[in-house]
Amino acid sequence: MANEKGVRGSVLFAGYRSLGLYSNHVPHVVRYHKKHKEFYLVTAVGKSFLTYNVNKLGQVAVSNALPEEITCLAADRMLVFASYGNLLKAFARNKEIIHTYKGHESDIHLVLPFGDHVISVDTNNTVIVWDILSAEEYLQLNFDKGNFDISAVMHPSTYINKILLGSQQGSLQLWNIKSNKLLFSFPGWQAGVTVLQQAPAVDVVAIGLANGKIVVHNIKFDETLMTFQQDWGPITAISFRTDGHPIMAAGSPIGHIGLWDLEEKKLMSQMREAHSTAIAGLTFVHGEPLLITNAADNAIRVWIFDGPGGQGRLLRFRLGHSAPPTFVRYHGQDGKHILSAGQDGAIHSFSTIHDRYSKSLGHGSINKAKAKKVGLRCTYLRLPPVVCFASETARQNDWDGIIACHQRKSYCTTWNFVRSTMGAHKLKPPNLKTKGTYATAVDITSCGNFVVIGLSAGNVDVYNIQSGIHRGSYGEDTAHDGPIRGVAVDGLNQMTVTAGDDKLIKFWKFKSKQLMHTVDIEVTPTCILLCRESGMLSVALEDFSIKVLDIETYKLVRRFPGHNGKINDMTYSPDGRWLLTASMDCTVKVWDFPSGCLIDCFLLDTPVVSLTMSPTGDYLATAHVDDLSLYLWSNKSLFSMVSLRPLPSNYEPVVVMLPGAAEEEEEEIVEVEEVSEDMMEYESPEQLGERLVTLSLLPESRWKNLLNLDVIKRRNKPKEPPKLPKSAPFFIPTLPGLVPRFVTEVEDESTQVSHSFYLIK
C-alpha cells in the first residue's frame, strides 16, 4: 500500500518554478531574433538555461533540464547549444532538445556555432566539426596537449571556412576546416591565451592573455596594432562597442571592468566592483550603448553609456543570493513577495509575479555611513549572516517593518522594506551582564510597533521599533534558565509566549510582563511557531517530534510523531488547518489539525532548511541546503479535487524532483491525477455481525439527508415543462425618420390599418 502511494509523489503540492537564480560561472550568450527584432540573453543556471529579453530583462523561457550541469553555452540565429560532460545538445525554441552530438571522449569546454556547422573542443584537445542538421561528424582535429593546448576559439569575420585557435602556450593557429589545412601560426606573446574576440574592423582580433595583457592584432598582416595592460589578473572577457564609439571593455577575475579608448590608446575609465566575483561574460549589444555582464555571484547587469566621460551606469539588473538562503518568509498578506536571508549576509525580496518587482535590501553593516563611503568591498564592516527575521506590513510606510537576528550578535537590526535598506536602529539589551550573549529569536507584533527579542542568556526584551527604545524585559532576572529557542506574540498583543532550553514554555502578559502560566514539555524545544488566527502553538522538539499547545487553555491538544532528523522549520496553511514541517531527513510533511493525522509526505534530494506558505494558499516556498534558488510548489487542492487520506505509519515516500530539475516528465503528471481519482472511490466496510450496526466514517453532510431523499426529489421536481423562447425575426423592422426606431407591436398594427385604409380609397 505504501509503495503504491509512493509512486504518486506529493498529494497536495506540485513543482511550479524556481526563484532567485539568474546566473553562474558560465559566460552568457546574446542572440538577435529577426522576426521579433529583439535581442535575447541566455544564461546557464545549473542543469538548464534561462532566456531573457534585453529590453526589460524579463524571463521569457526556461529550457528543459539536462542530466548534468551545463559547462558551456553558445547560440546561433536559430538554436542554442549547451554542453555537459562529453555531450553537446542543440535546443530549439529555447526549450526542447532536437539534436545530440556524440563523439567526444572527454568533457567539452569550448563551443562555436559556425554557419551550418558547430565546433566543439574537449579537454583532450580534440576538435570536432559537426553538421548541425544531421548531427554527424564532419571533421576531427587532434592536437598535442604539450605543444598546443586549446584555450580559445573564434571565427574571424569574412574569413570563409576558417577558425582561429588560441592555446595556453600562447601561440595561435589559423585553420581552414573545409580543406583541413593549417594556414598560419602566430608565435604569441609569452603568455597563455584566455580570450579571442573579433573587433569591428575586418582582419583585427583582440587577444586576452593570462598575464593581464590585451593585444589588438591584425591577423592578415601579422601586425600588432596596440597593446594594453590590466593589473587585475588574467583577462576573462572582451567586447567592443559597435555604436560609433571606439571603446573596448575587458573583464577581470576580481569583478572590475576596464574601458579602453582605441583611438587614444589609453584607459578611458574603470568600472570597479561591477560584480563580486570574476566577470564570466561581457557583451556590448550591437549598435546600442548597452553592456551586459554576468558572473558567478548570481547577478546579471545591464550598463548604459549615456553620460559624459564614457562611464557606464547601471540600467537594469537581476540579482539573487551569492550564497545559499537559510531563512524565508512571505511578506504581507497578498502573497506576492518572499523575503529571504542568506549566508552571504544579504536580505532579498523575490516577487512571485515578475522578476522586475524583486529587489535586494542589501547587506547589514556595522557602520552604515562608513560602509557607504568605502564601497561594496568593505567586508570587514559587514554584519554576519541573518539567522532569522520577522516582518510586518502594518506600519512599513511609516517606519521599519523588519527585525533581523544576526549570527552570534547581541543586537538585532531593523530593516525597511519600502526603502529597501537597513534601518536606523540596532536593538541591544541595555543591562547585559553575560559576555558572549547573542540574540537567538525575534518576533514583531501584528500592529508593527513592538519587537520581542530572545537572547542566549535567557533574557527576553521588548523594544519599540519606531524609536528603538527598550520597553521592558520578561522575568525578574531572566525569562528562562538557558538560551531562548523561540518567542511569539498573539494577534491582539495580549500574550507573549517564550520557549527556553530549560524545557519550559512560558506564557506572559504582553504589557505588564507578568507570568501567567508555565508548561513543562519534558524535551528541549528547537523552535516554536504560533498561528495567530487559531491560537495553536507548535513546538518542535529535539527528539524530532512535535507538540501543539492551545494558548487559551495552555493544554496539549496534538502530538505528532514528527521526523527522523532535526526539524528545520515549520509553517501553517492560511486557514490554520495544516502544519507543514521540514527536516534534515529530506522530507516535508503535512499534518492535519482536525484529524491529527499525517495527510501528505514527500521526499527531496536535499534537506529543506526553511519553508513558508503563501497567505493566499496558492504556493509553498522552500529553501534548500547548498542551493542558491528558492522553489515554489503549487497547491493542487486549489485547482483540482484532492482526496486526503491519513497516511500509514510505515509510509515510505519516493523522491520528488525539484521544480525545473526534472527532465521531460509530462506523462507522470497525468498518472498522478489517475491515482488520486482511484483513491476517491469509497469502499463500504463489511458488516461485523447480523445484530451489530456498522457506522459510516463519512461526514454528517453526506448521510443525514438520505431519509428525506423522496421529499427532496418532490420539492426539486419542475412544475411545468420548459418553454421555448419566442423566436425573433431575422430582420427587425424600423420606422422611417432621422432617428432610427424599431417597430413595436402596437405601431405595427396601426401601420397595417393605415395601409388597408389607403387601399380601400
Side-chain angles (χ1 to χ4, degrees):
M1 187 73 176
N3 292 332
E4 290 176 7
K5 289 186 179 181
V7 176
R8 71 188 174 184
S10 173
V11 181
L12 287 171
F13 297 101
Y16 175 51
R17 60 169 293 203
S18 62
L19 279 179
L21 196 58
Y22 303 107
S23 169
N24 61 8
H25 64 281
V26 178
H28 67 259
V29 179
V30 177
R31 55 198 299 239
Y32 182 72
H33 198 292
K34 285 186 177 180
K35 188 176 180 181
H36 297 172
K37 295 182 179 179
E38 192 172 7
F39 287 97
Y40 288 96
L41 170 70
V42 182
T43 61
V45 285
K47 298 179 181 179
S48 57
F49 62 84
L50 309 176
T51 305
Y52 298 87
N53 52 25
V54 173
N55 286 339
K56 296 182 179 179
L57 270 190
Q59 187 176 306
V60 296
V62 182
S63 74
N64 293 330
L66 294 173
E68 298 176 26
E69 303 273 326
I70 293 175
T71 57
C72 194
L73 270 182
D76 61 10
R77 63 186 186 86
M78 294 296 291
L79 303 174
V80 176
F81 300 93
S83 68
Y84 69 93
N86 60 352
L87 294 177
L88 179 64
K89 302 276 187 179
F91 288 79
R93 293 174 290 279
N94 298 313
K95 186 173 178 67
E96 58 220 24
I97 300 170
I98 59 169
H99 299 302
T100 301
Y101 306 93
K102 297 180 181 178
H104 284 283
E105 295 181 356
S106 57
D107 293 348
I108 298 170
H109 71 107
L110 293 171
V111 178
L112 175 68
F114 189 69
D116 294 333
H117 300 84
V118 60
I119 302 167
S120 56
V121 184
D122 63 23
T123 52
N124 277 348
N125 250 19
T126 302
V127 179
I128 300 181
V129 182
W130 308 90
D131 183 273
I132 290 178
L133 294 178
S134 64
E136 294 178 354
E137 186 178 306
Y138 175 78
L139 175 69
Q140 181 170 326
L141 300 172
N142 294 297
F143 294 85
D144 181 16
K145 206 166 185 179
N147 298 327
F148 195 82
D149 189 0
I150 300 172
S151 58
V153 59
M154 68 157 286
H155 163 59
S157 295
T158 71
Y159 283 56
I160 300 174
N161 300 325
K162 297 172 184 66
I163 59 171
L164 184 65
L165 301 173
S167 69
Q168 291 187 4
Q169 288 78 12
S171 58
L172 286 84
Q173 294 184 5
L174 184 66
W175 281 79
N176 187 321
I177 61 170
K178 189 172 184 180
S179 60
N180 192 12
K181 288 183 179 179
L182 174 63
L183 302 180
F184 195 80
S185 292
F186 302 88
W189 292 268
Q190 289 81 44
V193 176
T194 57
V195 183
L196 291 173
Q197 180 64 38
Q198 173 70 51
V202 180
D203 305 323
V204 179
V205 174
I207 304 156
L209 303 179
N211 60 3
K213 188 179 287 186
I214 306 166
V215 179
V216 181
H217 196 75
N218 188 311
I219 59 174
K220 185 175 182 180
F221 300 106
D222 191 15
E223 178 185 351
T224 299
L225 304 179
M226 57 193 82
T227 305
F228 305 109
Q229 178 69 46
Q230 283 189 179
D231 299 329
W232 302 321
I235 306 300
T236 58
I238 295 175
S239 186
F240 291 88
R241 281 184 72 171
T242 54
D243 60 337
H245 295 267
I247 305 297
M248 177 183 69
S252 69
I254 59 175
H256 301 336
I257 298 172
L259 298 171
W260 300 89
D261 191 324
L262 301 178
E263 281 186 352
E264 302 289 335
K265 297 184 180 179
K266 66 178 184 180
L267 181 67
M268 186 184 68
S269 62
Q270 302 176 24
M271 297 169 61
R272 287 184 169 267
E273 299 159 358
H275 288 270
S276 59
T277 57
I279 304 293
L282 182 142
T283 308
F284 275 107
V285 179
H286 184 75
E288 296 183 29
L290 297 177
L291 176 65
I292 302 172
T293 61
N294 83 297
D297 60 354
N298 195 17
I300 304 169
R301 291 185 168 95
V302 180
W303 311 81
I304 185 168
F305 296 82
D306 58 353
Q311 185 72 25
R313 65 177 177 88
L314 190 60
L315 180 65
R316 282 182 288 272
F317 65 93
R318 294 287 177 263
L319 179 64
H321 283 288
S322 57
T326 55
F327 196 80
V328 294
R329 287 292 181 267
Y330 267 93
H331 181 68
Q333 296 300 313
D334 55 1
K336 294 180 180 179
H337 300 282
I338 301 175
L339 285 176
S340 168
Q343 294 176 8
D344 55 355
I347 296 180
H348 287 262
S349 169
F350 296 109
S351 171
T352 59
I353 306 299
H354 196 280
D355 280 333
R356 67 172 175 266
Y357 302 121
S358 300
K359 59 184 179 180
S360 171
L361 276 65
H363 294 79
S365 58
I366 298 170
N367 188 327
K368 194 175 175 184
K370 188 176 180 182
K372 197 171 183 180
K373 288 181 182 179
V374 176
L376 295 174
R377 295 273 173 182
C378 59
T379 52
Y380 65 93
L381 288 175
R382 284 185 182 175
L383 285 171
V386 173
V387 178
C388 61
F389 61 81
S391 68
E392 185 58 55
T393 58
R395 303 303 294 269
Q396 68 175 5
N397 293 316
D398 303 320
W399 51 76
D400 301 338
I402 303 169
I403 179 72
C405 168
H406 294 265
Q407 191 175 34
R408 305 195 75 83
K409 280 290 180 182
S410 60
Y411 54 82
C412 294
T413 55
T414 61
W415 298 73
N416 195 297
F417 181 81
V418 177
R419 296 205 313 269
S420 305
T421 182
M422 194 178 90
H425 304 301
K426 290 185 175 68
L427 307 180
K428 188 173 183 179
N431 301 317
L432 195 60
K433 299 177 182 178
T434 310
K435 288 187 178 181
T437 301
Y438 54 90
T440 56
V442 292
D443 196 16
I444 187 169
T445 58
S446 57
C447 62
N449 290 303
F450 299 98
V451 294
V452 181
I453 300 174
L455 302 176
S456 60
N459 306 70
V460 178
D461 299 294
V462 182
Y463 299 85
N464 185 299
I465 195 171
Q466 180 187 6
S467 61
I469 297 174
H470 185 258
R471 293 297 187 191
S473 303
Y474 292 96
E476 293 182 4
D477 189 16
T478 60
H480 288 268
D481 296 330
I484 302 298
R485 296 302 181 96
V487 294
V489 184
D490 70 344
L492 299 175
N493 293 7
Q494 298 295 311
M495 182 187 297
T496 302
V497 185
T498 60
D501 213 33
D502 53 3
K503 305 177 185 178
L504 298 177
I505 304 291
K506 293 187 178 182
F507 300 87
W508 314 78
K509 285 188 177 180
F510 177 79
K511 192 171 181 180
S512 65
K513 314 292 187 297
Q514 179 185 348
L515 180 63
M516 300 164 60
H517 194 76
T518 302
V519 176
D520 188 353
I521 53 175
E522 300 174 353
V523 183
T524 305
T526 56
C527 61
I528 66 171
L529 184 68
L530 174 65
C531 181
R532 287 175 173 170
E533 289 76 17
S534 63
M536 295 291 112
L537 179 74
S538 298
V539 184
L541 306 176
E542 283 193 345
D543 63 356
F544 315 144
S545 65
I546 303 152
K547 289 184 177 180
V548 183
L549 303 173
D550 186 351
I551 65 171
E552 295 293 331
T553 61
Y554 315 121
K555 300 289 185 182
L556 178 68
V557 292
R558 290 287 184 271
R559 183 185 286 109
F560 298 126
H563 294 260
N564 297 320
K566 177 181 177 290
I567 296 174
N568 292 328
D569 202 5
M570 302 183 290
T571 186
Y572 290 103
S573 61
D575 56 3
R577 289 180 62 91
W578 301 338
L579 174 68
L580 292 84
T581 58
S583 167
M584 289 303 291
D585 62 5
C586 299
T587 60
V588 175
K589 294 187 176 182
V590 184
W591 309 90
D592 186 56
F593 275 128
S595 64
C597 298
L598 175 68
I599 57 173
D600 193 18
C601 176
F602 57 98
L603 186 66
L604 298 164
D605 286 325
T606 55
V608 174
V609 293
S610 186
L611 79 167
T612 178
M613 188 87 174
S614 168
T616 55
D618 48 1
Y619 297 120
L620 170 70
T622 58
H624 297 254
V625 171
D626 293 334
D627 199 328
L628 295 179
S629 181
L630 304 183
Y631 294 97
L632 288 183
W633 306 79
S634 57
N635 185 355
K636 291 194 283 189
S637 66
L638 293 183
F639 54 83
S640 64
M641 188 67 184
V642 175
S643 177
L644 297 178
R645 293 283 184 90
L647 297 180
S649 58
N650 61 346
Y651 180 78
E652 296 181 4
V654 294
V655 176
V656 176
M657 300 299 290
L658 292 172
E663 297 176 61
E664 303 171 25
E665 296 180 348
E666 280 117 15
E667 295 178 0
E668 292 193 6
I669 298 171
V670 180
E671 292 176 7
V672 170
E673 295 298 327
E674 289 175 0
V675 173
S676 64
E677 289 295 329
D678 293 341
M679 287 177 59
M680 290 168 59
E681 293 182 4
Y682 176 73
E683 296 180 2
S684 178
E686 296 181 1
Q687 188 76 14
L688 297 177
E690 294 181 359
R691 297 184 179 181
L692 296 178
V693 176
T694 303
L695 298 177
S696 171
L697 296 177
L698 291 174
E700 184 183 1
S701 59
R702 297 282 296 272
W703 55 261
K704 69 176 183 179
N705 292 323
L706 290 177
L707 299 175
N708 303 319
L709 278 180
D710 294 336
V711 178
I712 295 173
K713 286 181 180 179
R714 284 199 303 271
R715 185 183 63 195
N716 295 338
K717 186 178 180 181
K719 296 180 180 179
E720 55 183 13
K723 295 180 180 179
L724 289 173
K726 189 177 180 182
S727 59
F730 189 78
F731 293 106
I732 301 176
T734 57
L735 294 174
L738 294 175
V739 180
R741 289 188 301 158
F742 294 108
V743 177
T744 60
E745 292 182 0
V746 179
E747 291 171 340
D748 197 6
E749 292 175 2
S750 62
T751 51
Q752 288 178 2
V753 171
S754 62
H755 281 306
S756 61
F757 175 74
Y758 284 119
L759 288 172
I760 292 169
K761 288 184 72 176

